[in-house]
Amino acid sequence: MQRLKRVAAIHDISGFGKCSLTVALPIISAAGIETTVLPTAVLSTHTGGFTGFTYRDLTEDIQPISDHWKSLDIRFDSIYTGFLGSFEQLDLVTKFFETFKTDDNIVLVDPVMADNGELYKIFSLEFALGMRKLCEKADIIVPNFTEAALLIGEPYNPGPYTEQYVEDMLKKLSDLGPKKVVLTGVFFNDTELGAATYDAVTGEIAYSLEKRIPGYYHGTGDVFGSALLAAILNDFPLSEAASIAVHFTASAIQKTAQAGTDIRFGVNFEQSIPEFLKNLKLL
Ligand code: PXL
């Protein structure tokens, strides 16, 4: 039996409304990867569409947790970051990378800060510049088109897109530093939606598209990012990992839409896990 691979997942934990750690932990663990969590904040719900949520900031705990792990000589096959609440957290996570990055491990940054042409209410344009700096240190980034536009300093394009536009975006994002870029929310018409991948080393560009389900469902970026990383750590090439993650996310959205669940409550990824594991060839 080989040793388990291990991820450090650095996100908030929003108790209700499946996203960030309540998504990353079950999905990555189910895929046979040990998931170490560094919670950056504890919220009662995510911030997308709920009012009156609680927010306990854990910035002060990040460095002591990192120091303790270092003292135990804990190593990670991947560091996965998502929602980060402040400039200070961006700095602390940069330090975490400096401490735990090796030649072989994979730093995946999901620059969670915006969607549908708008920054999330709690973030400023300056924060987007800070997130760009963090992305420069990543091996893989997973922005949507709004985040991508902020990262490369271009106006947001709501789509539909052309291959030329998507490929230009992928290359500009990779020029920031990451050798691999996965752009989410790609669509060329009203019927399909998915992701595009770019590997700057091989030059390969690939698309994974599935039937589009109308509506904006919360937490899907985290479901996608977690499934993508799980597939990469199970040794799938980037383009195949993206196809598996797009399919998993689309099937979770479909179940949620069929049940008529409130779009703020997150998607039913739980019941798509068996099929996900089959696609990962783990079942
Ligand atoms: O899914 C992204 C996310 C994560 N964490 C919190 C959020 C959001 C998106 O709104 O509010 C707290």
Side-chain angles (χ1 to χ4, degrees):
M1 193 75 195
Q2 280 187 318
R3 71 164 183 89
L4 279 180
K5 286 187 180 169
R6 182 185 296 128
V7 172
I10 309 178
H11 307 241
D12 68 280
I13 183 155
S14 294
F16 181 75
K18 293 174 281 185
C19 67
S20 42
L21 281 183
T22 63
V23 161
L25 181 52
I27 293 173
I28 300 170
S29 291
I33 316 280
E34 180 181 337
T35 311
T36 310
V37 298
L38 204 173
T40 53
V42 181
L43 293 84
S44 52
T45 67
H46 60 69
T47 65
F50 296 105
T51 52
F53 51 82
T54 68
Y55 192 120
R56 169 92 46 202
D57 182 74
L58 296 179
T59 302
E60 273 181 29
D61 292 336
I62 295 176
Q63 193 58 47
I65 290 172
S66 167
D67 291 344
H68 186 217
W69 289 350
K70 189 66 193 167
S71 77
L72 297 171
D73 196 25
I74 294 173
R75 296 166 200 217
F76 301 104
D77 297 285
S78 177
I79 304 166
Y80 171 31
T81 73
F83 181 93
L84 297 169
S86 64
F87 288 97
E88 204 179 343
Q89 291 200 345
L90 290 173
D91 288 344
L92 287 161
V93 168
T94 304
K95 260 176 107 178
F96 189 93
F97 290 174
E98 284 158 9
T99 307
F100 291 101
K101 176 80 192 128
T102 66
D103 289 342
D104 313 314
N105 65 9
I106 299 168
V107 172
L108 189 152
V109 172
D110 184 352
V112 176
M113 58 182 168
D115 208 353
N116 289 318
E118 285 180 27
L119 270 168
Y120 293 142
K121 283 190 189 67
I122 62 164
F123 296 129
S124 63
L125 274 175
E126 234 187 320
F127 182 84
L129 295 180
M131 190 56 98
R132 179 191 296 173
K133 280 205 189 132
L134 191 70
C135 286
E136 288 168 4
K137 299 182 173 63
D139 298 304
I140 308 178
I141 56 171
V142 192
N144 59 37
F145 276 89
T146 312
E147 291 155 350
L150 288 162
L151 291 174
I152 60 174
E154 287 193 3
Y156 168 65
N157 173 352
Y161 306 104
T162 60
E163 284 198 17
Q164 183 60 51
Y165 179 79
V166 172
E167 295 179 19
D168 186 50
M169 248 357 213
L170 287 168
K171 287 181 182 162
K172 284 181 180 160
L173 288 161
S174 175
D175 286 344
L176 295 176
K179 293 276 179 297
K180 293 180 179 166
V181 177
V182 181
L183 196 47
T184 61
V186 174
F187 68 103
F188 301 117
N189 54 51
D190 285 343
T191 57
E192 289 184 317
L193 180 70
T197 57
Y198 175 56
D199 183 327
V201 174
T202 62
E204 191 197 1
I205 288 178
Y207 295 93
S208 310
L209 302 170
E210 296 255 341
K211 196 167 153 281
R212 185 181 191 139
I213 301 148
Y216 172 77
Y217 287 84
H218 273 278
T220 51
D222 298 330
V223 170
F224 176 80
S226 303
L228 177 84
L229 182 60
I232 291 170
L233 292 173
N234 275 289
D235 299 323
F236 284 86
L238 184 67
S239 57
E240 278 182 55
S243 294
I244 291 170
V246 167
H247 184 72
F248 178 57
T249 310
S251 105
I253 294 172
Q254 196 181 12
K255 288 186 176 71
T256 313
Q258 274 167 359
T261 311
D262 188 318
I263 57 164
R264 298 171 302 171
F265 291 7
V267 291
N268 179 353
F269 68 87
E270 294 90 337
Q271 291 178 314
S272 294
I273 282 180
E275 189 195 12
F276 173 55
L277 299 188
K278 275 186 205 141
N279 290 334
L280 290 177
K281 306 203 184 339
L282 295 171
L283 281 187

